[in-house]
Amino acid sequence: MTEPDVTSHQHDALQRAARDHLWMHFARHSRDDGGAIPMIVRGEGPYVYDAAGRRYLDGLSGLFAVQAGHGREELAQAAAKQAAELAFFPIWSYAHPKAAELAERLAGLAPDGLRRVFFTTGGGEAVESAWKLAKHYFKLTGKPGKHKVISRAVAYHGTPHGALSITGLPGLKAPYEPLVPSGFRVPNTNAYRAAAEHRADPEAFGRWAADRIEEAIEFEGPETVAAVFLEPVQNAGGCFPPPPGYFRRVREICDRHDVLLVSDEVICAFGRLGAMFGAQRYGYTPDVITFAKGVTSGYAPLGGMLVADRLFEPFGRGTEMFAHGYTFGGHPVSAAVALANLDLFEREDLTGHVRRNEDAFRATLERLLDLPIVGDVRGDGYFYGVELVKDKETRETFDDAESERLLRGFLDRALYDAGLYCRADDRGDPVVQLAPPLVCDQRHFDEIEGILRSVLTEAWARL
């Protein structure tokens, strides 16, 4: 523990301000435990510090965003320098240098053919933009009936009404229904929960899962389906990597039915999987890549979509335009930070660092499989889920009441108190999600494993 960053008087004032006025996101505000609201005040490398000076390993990169780690002065300086020159100007029929430079830079890093960049301020907006683009594109190309979207069960794609409609989590959607119609769900690639014959043959499982997409397209009618939205590694549910051959078959299916393949890489892009884009990691070329978070390492809000040349082509002639945009999309300060972040990626070879260390990260987490509460460890790169079970042999999971006691009643706070910020999540089956900054190495892997081992051992004893 270091010296407190705020005095006790300041801390009390901040707690009152947060309790009385701050509406936190995805948070329960009843706080019947009477405890203090965690107040993070600074960060350095893979660590963050609270107001009392306690240190925590950031096992989630903030929220899958802080790829380069905390406290990178060059990113803060890039923001300050740009704000002094041009703090804001929109890209509505105008341009500014940083947006143009960043668009060119991203196009050069993307899979072949994705050379046009549309900027937003975040990931949900990027997904929303991609669905609107798909519908508009097909109207301009003589197929106005193509408007439906297919996504996977338990997948999360954002909170705006369109993005939430693509999301496959009924519990998140129910309070806001009716949502945008035309979203349909297919099975995900959760091999741990797949049928025994699928677990024994990953390639066959990949074909089966991809074929469910074609089945849905044919059932709805190819003339009505505009796009398939898939994350390279599905986040919600606890990191479902694609089986071998899955994306190759999905690409063939989409081409056969003239359906756009949208790779939602809000989490998976910018080194998280050991490649600049997840599509590159798994060897497929989508029609659209949505991105956010890691493009600036979280130092400024920015998102967007990389778009195939053919999708831009109808908008590049005559009087047509994509009637869509955001005030702060492509913000000059955010774009400057993103450029500095990409410079840092190149200088420090962060994607290479992930590739060189990902096997060690996996092996370290797999030590936890000797615990009776750990059923599965899965993921790729620096993106993992540890699934918790009641019975390892039968793979029996916890019921809702047990999951409530385990995750929110114990794990959330116990992991934090032990010095690890990560995520205990039961949007699917109960998992602990891990996505540390890309600068982490074996020292940090061991620290993560040690804290998890201690806390999960206590959790099992309590059960």
Side-chain angles (χ1 to χ4, degrees):
M1 183 183 297
T2 61
E3 289 298 316
D5 285 87
V6 298
T7 65
S8 59
H9 176 74
Q10 291 170 325
H11 179 264
D12 291 344
L14 287 170
Q15 287 292 315
R16 285 194 300 272
R19 288 183 183 280
D20 295 347
H21 304 291
L22 180 61
W23 198 329
M24 293 178 288
H25 297 197
F26 284 97
R28 295 179 178 181
H29 283 74
S30 57
R31 298 201 64 83
D32 54 10
D33 62 357
I37 297 171
M39 191 72 65
I40 302 300
V41 298
R42 66 184 179 89
E44 182 179 350
Y47 295 97
V48 293
Y49 297 79
D50 70 10
R54 289 185 292 264
R55 189 180 80 167
Y56 306 87
L57 179 56
D58 183 356
L60 205 62
S61 297
L63 195 60
F64 311 102
V66 189
Q67 318 293 63
H70 298 274
R72 304 303 292 253
E73 287 292 334
E74 59 264 54
L75 301 186
Q77 290 168 3
K81 182 175 184 294
Q82 180 58 43
E85 293 175 359
L86 179 66
F88 173 70
F89 206 79
I91 52 175
W92 294 43
S93 299
Y94 293 83
H96 56 75
K98 295 306 180 186
E101 292 171 22
L102 181 58
E104 181 180 42
R105 186 85 169 268
L106 291 171
L109 295 169
D112 290 344
L114 278 71
R115 300 193 303 166
R116 187 67 60 162
V117 183
F118 184 95
F119 287 117
T120 67
T121 61
E125 291 176 355
V127 171
E128 197 89 357
S129 301
W131 192 0
K132 288 181 71 174
L133 174 62
K135 291 194 285 188
H136 198 162
Y137 167 77
F138 282 119
K139 285 179 172 59
L140 292 179
T141 54
K143 298 181 179 180
K146 292 176 80 70
H147 64 279
K148 297 176 183 176
V149 165
I150 293 168
S151 58
R152 295 185 291 202
V154 195
Y156 175 81
H157 292 283
T159 54
H161 266 67
L164 189 58
S165 300
I166 298 172
T167 290
L169 293 161
L172 277 185
K173 298 159 71 167
Y176 312 106
E177 292 173 334
L179 295 171
V180 180
S182 306
F184 300 89
R185 235 61 60 212
V186 295
N188 56 47
T189 60
N190 183 356
Y192 183 69
R193 293 292 173 187
E197 62 269 24
H198 288 154
R199 297 199 300 269
D201 188 343
E203 288 196 30
F205 177 46
R207 290 193 300 273
W208 176 87
D211 287 347
R212 301 290 72 76
I213 294 174
E214 184 161 42
E215 184 177 80
I217 292 172
E218 291 175 341
F219 182 83
E220 293 300 323
E223 73 281 1
T224 71
V225 179
V228 174
F229 279 69
L230 305 173
E231 295 169 279
V233 174
Q234 182 175 317
N235 170 41
C239 295
F240 305 145
Y246 173 78
F247 275 109
R248 181 176 64 251
R249 195 170 183 90
V250 171
R251 180 72 270 181
E252 293 169 354
I253 290 166
C254 289
D255 289 343
R256 183 155 55 243
H257 297 292
D258 193 19
V259 171
L260 304 183
L261 174 55
V262 180
S263 190
D264 182 357
E265 305 209 14
V266 171
I267 288 175
C268 291
F270 304 105
R272 179 59 52 196
L273 300 176
M276 194 56 70
F277 295 99
Q280 294 163 327
R281 165 79 189 236
Y282 299 118
Y284 66 97
T285 301
D287 300 292
V288 178
I289 291 176
T290 56
F291 65 86
K293 296 185 183 288
V295 67
T296 65
S297 280
Y299 281 65
L302 185 67
M305 56 178 178
L306 279 149
V307 179
D309 297 347
R310 69 184 180 94
L311 301 187
F312 176 77
E313 194 274 334
F315 298 96
R317 60 176 185 263
T319 60
E320 297 297 343
M321 73 168 178
F322 186 36
H324 179 66
Y326 299 97
T327 299
F328 296 118
H331 193 285
V333 173
S334 297
V337 172
L339 285 164
N341 186 51
L342 293 174
D343 288 341
L344 191 157
F345 260 75
E346 183 176 332
R347 185 173 67 252
E348 298 186 6
D349 188 24
L350 289 185
T351 55
H353 180 77
V354 172
R355 290 194 301 273
R356 288 188 294 273
N357 288 277
E358 64 177 344
D359 289 345
F361 188 34
R362 176 188 291 272
T364 304
L365 292 178
E366 285 179 342
R367 295 179 202 157
L368 297 167
L369 287 168
D370 67 357
L371 298 178
I373 197 173
V374 175
D376 193 30
V377 173
R378 55 180 177 259
D380 273 325
Y382 275 24
F383 186 26
Y384 273 84
V386 177
E387 182 165 338
L388 309 180
V389 294
K390 189 158 55 174
D391 188 308
K392 288 172 74 85
E393 293 301 318
T394 64
R395 308 190 181 206
E396 181 184 359
T397 190
F398 300 94
D399 62 33
D400 290 345
E402 291 168 332
S403 183
E404 174 73 19
R405 292 197 304 272
L406 173 65
L407 272 65
R408 280 164 290 278
F410 176 69
L411 280 181
D412 269 343
R413 194 57 187 243
L415 288 166
Y416 180 77
D417 288 344
L420 177 62
Y421 166 71
C422 58
R423 187 177 195 172
D425 184 25
D426 61 352
R427 289 176 295 176
D429 296 304
V431 295
V432 175
Q433 291 178 302
L434 297 161
L438 308 188
V439 297
C440 285
D441 57 28
Q442 188 63 53
R443 296 167 298 162
H444 308 108
F445 306 158
D446 288 338
E447 186 175 353
I448 290 170
E449 190 270 343
I451 293 173
L452 284 172
R453 177 173 295 276
S454 174
V455 173
L456 291 177
T457 297
E458 184 179 349
W460 182 254
R462 285 170 173 255
L463 289 169

